[in-house]
Amino acid sequence: MNKDKTSKNSNKDIYTNALKVMPGGVSRNTVLRKPYPHYAAMAKGCYVNDIDGIERIDFANNMASLIHGHGHPAIIEAVTEQLQKGTAYTLATEAEVRFAEHIISRAEGFEKIRFVNSGTEAVMAMIKASRAFTGKPMIAKAEGAYHGTYDFSEVSQAASPDNWGDLDNPNSVPLTHGTPQMVADNVLIYPFNDVERTLKILDQHVDKIAAVLIDPVPHRVGLIKANNEFINAIHDWTRKHGALMIFDEVITFRVNYGGTQEEFSVKPDLTSMGKMIGGGFPVGAFAGRSDVMSVLDPTQPGKLKFPHSGTFSANPITMTAGRVAMELYDENAVRSLNKLTQTAMKQILEAIKIADVPVSITGTGSMLRIHLKSKAPQNYREAWHNPKEAALLVKLLDYLFFEEKIMMVNTGSCMLSTALSQKEIDQLSDGMLNAFKHIRSELLKLN
Ligand code: PMP
């Protein structure tokens, strides 16, 4: 249902003004759309209206952060109550302790936790804690995996055929121009899920590795789950060589009640979280083994190994919203959202067959991603889009956005929320069918 315009300005007018005050006219590149971004007016449940009054179904959910969609009444009520009492103090709050207790109770390996303000910060702090605990400088991360914008976790986030090098020893490719060489020198790149190559790479730097960083379902690598063999091998290697195995579950904590890690018999030493655990507000957290987390403990005797603070860390608004959101995301909610996602994947697969297009789909839990490739990718190099594929993906997503009134993540992914129902899933698969037909002739030329 389309509503009235809510601004006297058009999207184009606002963007013209935005270009004068922000590089590219935006504060985050993910909201860009050609010829101009669309500006939000309001949102409720799984629907978002832009300022032209056009309503769309939200399958992006602020990049996977709104597990209950927009404006869940219980979250609004709890946050409104807290707003009256204050938004941030130079005092600790009980809200923070209650939320810490809740998150700790969800996963077997969580003994201590600290809160920060973003996923980037959580991964950064987790890496620094690993270095402080082991006294070693290097980390290893998967080629193509996104872990936020800390110098070290950015390495090889966007490696491409012209710079990624030999698969046996992938290059460490800094992302931001001007990154000091010592950053790349301290980040080893491994091919995801490739046990043999990864162990050989790690073996070359046995005494220097503080931690092996793993996103158990890395979105940019292709949204493929880490296999048991890989996790067990990394766990064994890290035990043998005094290193840590650390998980980035900033997106993937949603996969089970206790994160994707619930599915593995061995557990990470530390885990970063973010996105959905903030209940719609900025958040990050890292949790894990007590002895490792003690590097952050200023009450211990001796020199503090990792001094850590943050002005808005554990602010009571985020802590309250996060606790309510996570309590609502109980075992039943996780199960039914995952089931709805399975249905969505089945229906999209059917649409792919009917349209007879070389498209594939991957997914886990409440996340799915489509690939403009006939065979589902198994690793980053297979998932990588060349410029023609990338341009066609934009065309597909634009068709869905403008014609079908469906919003997805710009990688071709959907991050579902509990606000969605079968009705919206049907609209998604019908919309995809139309979109596949729309780009079919160009798709066939690509493959
Ligand atoms: N890690 C992962 C796996 C992520 O997907 C993201 C964000 N997309 C981050 C870290 C960084 O989180 P934030 O944007 O909150 O800094």
Side-chain angles (χ1 to χ4, degrees):
M1 184 182 54
N2 292 346
K3 309 225 166 70
D4 294 337
K5 273 175 76 72
T6 57
S7 171
K8 59 183 184 343
N9 295 313
S10 67
N11 287 305
K12 193 174 166 199
D13 293 340
I14 300 175
Y15 190 53
T16 305
N17 293 337
L19 279 169
K20 294 178 197 151
V21 288
M22 289 179 277
V26 288
S27 278
R28 48 181 192 156
N29 299 345
T30 33
V31 298
L32 274 175
R33 179 175 295 279
K34 278 185 181 155
Y36 40 76
H38 285 238
Y39 291 86
M42 69 89 60
K44 189 81 196 144
C46 60
Y47 291 93
V48 181
N49 286 278
D50 69 16
I51 54 162
D52 289 330
I54 297 177
E55 184 177 81
R56 296 185 176 84
I57 311 173
D58 195 354
F59 287 96
N61 288 299
N62 191 37
M63 306 299 281
S65 63
L66 306 170
I67 198 72
H68 300 299
H70 302 267
H72 190 289
I75 301 176
I76 293 184
E77 190 188 329
V79 167
T80 306
E81 193 187 322
Q82 180 60 46
L83 273 173
Q84 314 294 333
K85 299 187 209 159
T87 60
Y89 328 91
T90 319
L91 287 176
T93 65
E94 194 175 354
E96 152 190 8
V97 182
R98 286 183 69 191
F99 190 31
E101 286 167 346
H102 177 79
I103 297 282
I104 293 265
S105 73
R106 290 179 84 111
E108 199 183 307
F110 292 1
E111 292 170 349
K112 291 277 165 58
I113 187 167
R114 275 227 177 171
F115 294 105
V116 287
N117 302 292
S118 67
T120 291
E121 237 188 294
V123 174
M124 174 177 74
M126 182 166 74
I127 291 172
K128 290 168 75 171
S130 306
R131 293 187 199 125
F133 183 73
T134 60
K136 300 177 190 181
M138 293 177 97
I139 60 156
K141 69 161 293 246
E143 184 166 59
Y146 185 86
H147 295 288
T149 59
Y150 179 42
D151 287 346
F152 294 85
S153 24
E154 266 184 356
V155 175
S156 288
Q157 178 199 108
S160 51
D162 57 318
N163 61 25
W164 61 31
D166 184 356
L167 192 60
D168 286 334
N169 253 315
N171 291 334
S172 297
V173 185
L175 185 75
T176 306
H177 189 66
T179 302
Q181 183 56 38
M182 69 83 180
V183 171
D185 292 345
N186 281 292
V187 180
L188 286 174
I189 302 301
Y190 65 81
F192 185 69
N193 265 347
D194 186 332
V195 175
E196 202 180 319
R197 287 197 174 87
T198 301
L199 294 185
K200 275 193 188 145
I201 291 165
L202 298 179
D203 278 342
Q204 294 165 32
H205 303 271
V206 172
D207 299 327
K208 294 209 172 127
I209 298 173
V212 180
L213 173 61
I214 304 172
D215 179 332
V217 199
H219 179 203
R220 298 260 190 107
V221 173
L223 207 69
I224 321 141
K225 201 190 302 181
N227 60 51
N228 276 318
E229 189 200 352
F230 186 75
I231 297 297
N232 287 337
I234 300 297
H235 190 258
D236 278 356
W237 191 94
T238 50
R239 297 317 89 173
K240 217 183 276 169
H241 298 293
L244 303 180
M245 179 171 83
I246 61 178
F247 274 19
D248 180 357
E249 294 233 54
V250 164
I251 295 192
T252 65
F253 199 67
R254 58 167 54 222
V255 167
N256 298 297
Y257 183 74
T260 309
Q261 59 192 269
E262 208 176 286
E263 296 173 29
F264 302 114
S265 55
V266 292
K267 304 298 172 201
D269 299 298
L270 295 177
T271 302
S272 57
M273 288 158 278
K275 303 218 185 229
M276 75 157 184
I277 71 157
F281 292 84
V283 78
F286 57 109
R289 274 170 48 188
S290 256
D291 57 339
V292 179
M293 293 294 280
S294 73
V295 298
L296 293 129
D297 184 352
T299 67
Q300 298 276 318
K303 188 173 177 288
L304 180 59
K305 286 191 173 155
F306 178 11
H308 175 254
S309 265
T311 303
F312 284 99
S313 290
N315 73 77
I317 301 295
T318 298
M319 296 296 100
T320 301
R323 181 181 49 75
V324 174
M326 286 301 90
E327 284 172 357
L328 287 167
Y329 196 52
D330 58 13
E331 305 260 12
N332 279 336
V334 176
R335 209 172 302 121
S336 53
L337 184 58
N338 289 356
K339 203 164 150 235
L340 190 68
T341 312
Q342 283 299 317
T343 306
M345 287 178 67
K346 250 188 243 150
Q347 291 184 201
I348 295 169
L349 214 49
E350 193 61 26
I352 292 171
K353 269 198 210 131
I354 296 170
D356 191 20
V357 283
V359 173
S360 51
I361 182 165
T362 54
T364 300
S366 45
M367 319 176 290
L368 65 89
R369 180 174 170 187
I370 54 163
H371 307 268
L372 303 189
K373 298 171 185 288
S374 52
K375 204 171 143 274
Q378 294 299 309
N379 55 49
Y380 176 66
R381 294 190 183 193
E382 285 179 18
W384 187 80
H385 278 72
N386 65 38
K388 275 191 184 154
E389 290 168 326
L392 197 52
L393 182 62
V394 171
K395 188 166 178 184
L396 178 90
L397 295 175
D398 276 352
Y399 184 89
L400 288 166
F401 187 86
F402 291 108
E403 305 300 327
E404 302 291 338
K405 311 290 184 273
I406 283 170
M407 280 172 59
M408 286 171 54
V409 177
N410 54 8
T411 47
S413 307
C414 294
M415 299 290 169
L416 274 67
S417 79
T418 62
L420 291 157
S421 66
Q422 185 58 44
K423 178 179 149 217
E424 289 84 24
I425 299 303
D426 290 344
Q427 285 173 267
L428 175 67
S429 56
D430 290 350
M432 288 252 187
L433 177 59
N434 294 337
F436 293 149
K437 287 179 180 163
H438 180 68
I439 62 162
R440 185 169 187 274
S441 60
E442 283 166 277
L443 259 174
L444 293 178
K445 271 186 231 149
L446 276 185
N447 276 262

